[in-house]
Amino acid sequence: MTVPFPELSAGRIRAGNVSVAPDGTAYVVPSGMHERLRGAVLSEDDQRAPDPKVDLALAGWASLQTDGMTDRVNVDAPDGFANATVVRRFARSHDAGSVVVAHHPSGEVSRWTDPAAVTLPEPSE
């Protein structure tokens, strides 16, 4: 699979949307381009949900986004997503005051009012 977006560089995260592949590689995905990423990740035969970020989470990808109008970071992530470091880094880069992580397919939602306190459980084996 070829990802049509650049990898996230080290340092401050200026992008408002970042997607993390199952292998841990993070990509800058411009706003509105998650459908294009979904097209690269899923086959034509895969059933599609209305929200491409949900489809990506079900395929093992996490999507981090901030809209710049609130001080919150929203994350759609697969169950078992444990990369709290990238979530905290993203939140810190955007001066976020809170973080919400929605897990798929379980539907569990976790919230933190202190982004530095974000912890994600290690996947059970």
Side-chain angles (χ1 to χ4, degrees):
M1 164 187 47
T2 301
V3 177
F5 302 105
E7 284 190 33
L8 180 66
S9 60
R12 182 171 168 82
I13 300 173
R14 299 191 192 295
N17 292 275
V18 170
S19 290
V20 182
D23 70 1
T25 306
Y27 297 91
V28 175
V29 179
S31 180
M33 297 301 286
H34 288 87
E35 285 193 28
R36 185 172 173 203
L37 179 59
R38 174 173 62 182
V41 170
L42 301 176
S43 75
E44 290 295 322
D45 296 333
D46 289 326
Q47 189 172 1
R48 307 278 172 129
D51 185 344
K53 293 174 189 162
V54 171
D55 280 338
L56 289 166
L58 293 172
W61 289 67
S63 299
L64 295 76
Q65 59 270 343
T66 182
D67 65 13
M69 297 181 70
T70 66
D71 68 347
R72 183 175 72 198
V73 163
N74 298 305
V75 181
D76 285 293
D79 289 343
F81 177 73
N83 193 340
T85 302
V86 73
V87 174
R88 288 189 300 263
R89 179 177 160 218
F90 188 82
R92 188 173 49 251
S93 292
H94 292 284
D95 297 322
S98 63
V99 174
V100 175
V101 177
H103 297 274
H104 304 282
S106 70
E108 287 186 35
V109 176
S110 301
R111 293 176 171 82
W112 296 267
T113 56
D114 177 5
V118 170
T119 58
L120 297 171
E122 291 296 321
S124 57
E125 298 180 308

